[in-house]
Amino acid sequence: MFKLPTDYDVVVVGSGHAGIEAALAAARIGCRTLMLTQNLDTIGQMSCNPAIGGLAKGHIVREIDAMGGAMGLNADATGIQFRMLNQRKGPSVRAPRVQCDKKAYQFRMKAILEQAQNLDVKQGTVLRVIEKAGAVIGVATDIGVAIAARTVVITSGTFLRGLLHVGENSKPGGRMADASSSLSSNLRELGFQVGRFKTGTPCRLNARSIDFTRCLIQPGDEPPFGFAFNPEEIGTGAGEIFTLNSVRDGKFHVEQLPCWITHTTQETHEIIRANLHRSPLYAGRIQGVGPRYCPSIEDKVVKFPDKPSHQLFLEPEGRHTSEYYVNGVSTSLPYEVQLAFLHTIPGLEQAEIMRPGYAVEYDYFPPTQVLPTLEAKVISGLYFAGQVNGTSGYEEAAAQGLIAGANAALKIKNRPPLVLSRKEAYIGVLIDDLVCKGTEEPYRMFTSRAEDRLSLRHNNADQRLTRRAFSAGLVSEPRLHRFEEKMHLLNQAGVIADGNKLNGTPVSRLLKRPDFDVRTLPHDMLSCVPLSIWELLQTDFRYEGYAVRQSEQNHRLDRKRDQKIPDGLEYDKIVGLRSETKQKLSSLRPTSLGQAARISGITPSDISILHIWLNRRGLRDGHVNAQQLT
């Protein structure tokens, strides 16, 4: 086997959204990094909808951007429609979403990687991870090339033993027209548990065959709201053919494209019901568990038989393509059935399929096998990020990639790891859920998963994370200085609000009122700081009381759940615990009642029994002897 002459600090396997952020993070921290991908032409490809963000996911992208990641800025630079979801609700659950030009996003991201310092990008399929004495020392490719590495980050997405399904036809592949990977077989040999999940994607249609006059138009928001805290980094776009948007004279310039809304009909549902036996999902040919919150059209029809229609979104895949993504009809039915039911949908009576919908089964590694740093428990220096950890979505993958890549690099530098708490970030909630609870289906982030969601708003992600990211080496000094300038302006606005009154009422109190518009402040006051700073301050004031109450409630709960659980505790000896509870606690070995409470399937009653049992045996501090454990 030929050994590559260059030794690397960090090797990232895969070039999807997790791999991109992992490679860039490790390189920013200063490690010699290599990204290995099966195909250089599919770096950053959006296998499903070319959209970034959405409910809770948009919060994650803002957090990635606050920590120096690339996803948010690249989405802003290549976006073709910008929307702020949940506009009618409070700021804590509002979330940005950007429909991107699929190819522009992909090729611009490829250029970012190729130009990054400390980062090499090479084409190669990793066949196995090489370890010695319980630590990773490199990887080997399928063409006989060995690459030495001090750490390795696996971000292989849906490619691990990927199997594609369209009707009765199946073939290997991690994505239509791309090969699958056998790397999971090697990882199984190294001692990792392997599970099987399933996901799917809708068909793509030719825009020339769609009658948009029969659909409802859905324009983007004006002015557009993006992800980047420093959108000026997009630049003017001069000389960059894949940078579609620009920032000039302090304004974000975007030419937005509309999306369109239509719906299924009773006839659509009848065709689907009549062909369920031809669906690999319902014929029993798909064994993997699919995402509950992104069901196929077959699942929708079966599980909601009384619903007369389902809303669909027709979304452009780019500025220079005729392909439209049909959001809402993920399917693996045969090609002819897909065509038949599409023709029953208003506006799609003459629709032509450019790419059929399909399902893909793939291997993943139950994430309870990794530490909060995303390093594997059984092999030192090996990290996992993205769908291989059981998640779904570009945003969840990118967040894990950033943390895994950063921690791989920090390990090399002998520096403290980067671990975000649930109180700090949605990324902290995501990783804590994965490593403590595991997941029995593809994991998707929701705002309801975060106990401190009133404090984890998309507009304060930089306040929560930018200084942490700078300490880790993820954020540059110039960017930190810009952030500090922003915080100075925010503090200045706070002083003005505290020290001034309008009609006898302190401005700080007015800003807390839901019916008060900050833009009605006197001009001399308003002009002291940018309007965006005033709006941010108003949100802080309005949420201050609610956030304090939420924090107090969580603290009361935490006081009960901070109690340590001693290592080696024999759960089988605890009378009253259900068999399922004993099995899960014995397997996952939580270190506290709080961690135990977050394990999937563990009930408050289980926690109460465990709490009483520990207290009766004097195990409150976790300092025990062998006799006390039984």
Side-chain angles (χ1 to χ4, degrees):
M1 181 172 285
F2 172 75
K3 180 183 178 298
L4 202 68
T6 305
D7 292 355
Y8 288 94
D9 295 321
V10 182
V11 168
V12 177
V13 181
S15 64
H17 305 283
I20 288 168
E21 298 295 349
L24 290 173
R28 287 201 303 283
I29 290 173
C31 285
R32 186 69 188 272
T33 305
L34 170 66
M35 170 186 277
L36 277 174
T37 176
Q38 287 192 139
N39 188 348
L40 287 173
D41 295 327
T42 56
I43 288 175
Q45 182 160 317
M46 294 170 156
S47 304
C48 203
N49 190 1
I52 298 294
L55 302 180
K57 294 169 177 283
H59 292 72
I60 289 177
V61 181
R62 294 279 278 173
E63 292 177 352
I64 292 169
D65 184 79
M67 301 180 73
M71 173 175 270
L73 192 67
N74 200 55
D76 289 351
T78 59
I80 54 178
Q81 190 190 87
F82 294 75
R83 298 185 65 223
M84 180 65 72
L85 307 184
N86 276 349
Q87 283 277 32
R88 297 178 181 177
K89 298 183 179 180
S92 67
V93 293
R94 292 175 191 164
R97 180 186 187 273
V98 177
Q99 186 78 15
C100 296
D101 184 297
K102 183 175 185 175
K103 288 301 177 184
Y105 183 97
Q106 178 184 338
F107 291 139
R108 189 178 186 278
M109 193 67 91
K110 183 172 185 282
I112 290 171
L113 292 163
E114 291 174 346
Q115 295 164 16
Q117 292 184 349
N118 302 320
L119 178 59
D120 294 338
V121 182
K122 297 183 185 296
Q123 186 163 292
T125 299
V126 173
L127 196 63
R128 61 190 179 92
V129 171
I130 306 171
E131 63 90 24
K132 183 178 181 181
V136 68
I137 60 172
V139 297
T141 72
D142 61 349
I143 57 172
V145 178
I147 303 166
R150 298 172 68 186
T151 59
V152 172
V153 184
I154 305 295
T155 69
S156 302
T158 61
F159 286 80
L160 299 179
R161 285 202 313 125
L163 185 64
L164 306 175
H165 299 275
V166 180
E168 296 90 351
N169 301 294
S170 302
K171 65 176 182 178
R175 178 169 53 215
M176 192 65 78
D178 286 320
S180 64
S181 167
S182 60
L183 177 60
S184 57
S185 299
N186 164 247
L187 293 170
R188 188 193 299 268
E189 293 171 359
L190 292 176
F192 289 96
Q193 295 177 347
V194 183
R196 196 80 168 151
F197 275 166
K198 165 259 178 186
T199 189
T201 189
C203 52
R204 275 66 159 181
L205 305 180
N206 190 328
R208 294 181 300 175
S209 66
I210 299 173
D211 183 359
F212 291 106
T213 65
R214 303 204 61 200
C215 305
L216 177 67
I217 192 169
Q218 185 186 50
D221 290 344
E222 292 291 350
F225 186 96
F227 292 111
F229 284 98
N230 294 278
E232 65 277 2
E233 294 180 7
I234 294 174
T236 62
E240 298 182 12
I241 61 173
F242 299 117
T243 299
L244 305 183
N245 308 318
S246 62
V247 175
R248 300 190 304 273
D249 303 323
K251 294 184 178 180
F252 189 26
H253 295 269
V254 179
E255 182 185 344
Q256 299 199 64
L257 298 181
C259 294
W260 304 84
I261 300 174
T262 184
H263 52 84
T264 61
T265 64
Q266 287 285 14
E267 187 179 357
T268 312
H269 301 177
E270 289 170 5
I271 292 173
I272 292 170
R273 289 191 192 98
N275 287 277
L276 283 175
H277 64 286
R278 303 185 66 190
S279 164
L281 181 64
Y282 282 89
R285 291 177 42 239
I286 291 179
Q287 303 301 317
V289 179
R292 179 184 307 182
Y293 305 105
C294 188
S296 66
I297 190 63
E298 296 99 294
D299 269 341
K300 291 179 184 179
V301 169
V302 171
K303 294 178 179 178
F304 306 100
D306 298 329
K307 196 173 176 72
S309 67
H310 295 280
Q311 187 168 252
L312 309 178
F313 296 88
L314 307 179
E315 300 171 329
E317 294 225 322
R319 196 175 298 284
H320 303 290
T321 179
S322 294
E323 287 191 70
Y324 265 70
Y325 178 96
V326 190
N327 193 338
V329 290
S330 176
T331 183
S332 57
L333 284 164
Y335 187 101
E336 61 271 24
V337 178
Q338 293 185 37
L339 196 61
F341 77 65
L342 283 170
H343 286 172
T344 66
I345 296 171
L348 306 184
E349 291 86 352
Q350 303 299 322
E352 296 177 10
I353 294 177
M354 297 181 72
R355 304 180 201 235
Y358 63 91
V360 55
E361 285 185 281
Y362 57 93
D363 285 349
Y364 80 100
F365 305 97
T368 53
Q369 299 174 99
V370 298
L371 301 165
T373 59
L374 298 182
E375 183 179 17
K377 294 177 180 178
V378 298
I379 296 181
S380 176
L382 182 62
Y383 295 77
F384 292 85
Q387 284 182 278
V388 294
N389 279 339
T391 59
S392 67
Y394 309 144
E395 302 82 3
E396 291 90 341
Q400 295 170 71
L402 187 148
I403 298 299
N407 281 319
L410 292 169
K411 185 182 182 75
I412 298 300
K413 298 287 187 179
N414 292 315
R415 293 173 53 195
L418 177 63
V419 177
L420 302 178
S421 73
R422 299 179 71 90
K423 296 178 181 294
E424 285 181 288
Y426 275 95
I427 296 175
V429 175
L430 164 68
I431 294 175
D432 188 66
D433 278 352
L434 292 174
V435 303
C436 293
K437 292 184 179 181
T439 183
E440 297 173 354
E441 61 188 13
Y443 180 103
R444 178 179 178 178
M445 178 54 70
F446 295 101
T447 56
S448 58
R449 295 189 189 272
E451 297 88 342
D452 293 279
R453 55 187 171 276
L454 294 182
S455 301
L456 305 182
R457 302 187 300 274
H458 73 83
N459 61 358
N460 67 3
D462 57 342
Q463 297 176 60
R464 294 182 274 114
L465 299 172
T466 294
R467 290 192 183 99
R468 286 287 310 272
F470 175 76
S471 298
L474 291 169
V475 168
S476 66
E477 282 195 23
R479 176 157 184 179
L480 179 67
H481 292 330
R482 290 195 295 272
F483 167 72
E484 297 291 2
E485 290 171 3
K486 172 183 174 179
M487 294 308 298
H488 172 72
L489 291 172
L490 187 61
N491 291 334
Q492 184 178 334
V495 171
I496 294 171
D498 287 333
N500 288 272
K501 296 181 179 181
L502 288 180
N503 299 322
T505 304
V507 172
S508 57
R509 187 179 300 174
L510 290 172
L511 290 175
K512 294 181 180 183
R513 295 179 180 175
D515 58 343
F516 182 78
D517 188 343
V518 71
R519 289 171 291 186
T520 62
L521 287 172
H523 176 73
D524 59 341
M525 192 181 301
L526 199 60
S527 61
C528 292
V529 298
L531 178 60
S532 60
I533 297 295
W534 280 115
E535 291 174 338
L536 181 57
L537 182 68
Q538 182 176 38
T539 302
D540 288 343
F541 276 139
R542 285 182 178 177
Y543 271 85
E544 186 177 34
Y546 297 109
V548 168
R549 283 200 293 273
Q550 182 182 71
S551 179
E552 290 173 349
Q553 291 172 357
N554 292 338
H555 186 62
R556 286 196 294 270
L557 181 62
D558 287 343
R559 282 202 299 268
K560 297 178 182 178
R561 295 184 175 181
D562 283 345
Q563 183 173 357
K564 301 298 183 184
I565 299 177
D567 188 32
L569 183 63
E570 295 185 35
Y571 292 100
D572 288 340
K573 303 290 180 66
I574 301 177
V575 178
L577 285 181
R578 297 172 299 135
S579 296
E580 177 189 359
T581 301
K582 293 177 181 178
Q583 291 172 1
K584 288 191 174 184
L585 294 176
S586 298
S587 172
L588 299 179
R589 311 302 306 180
T591 60
S592 68
L593 288 179
Q595 281 191 0
R598 294 197 296 271
I599 295 172
S600 178
I602 301 300
T603 68
S605 176
D606 296 327
I607 297 301
S608 178
I609 292 171
L610 183 56
H611 173 70
I612 293 170
W613 193 92
L614 291 172
N615 285 347
R616 283 181 175 176
R617 282 158 179 77
L619 306 182
R620 298 184 184 187
D621 299 322
H623 301 297
V624 299
N625 56 45
Q627 279 188 324
Q628 288 177 293
L629 293 175
T630 59

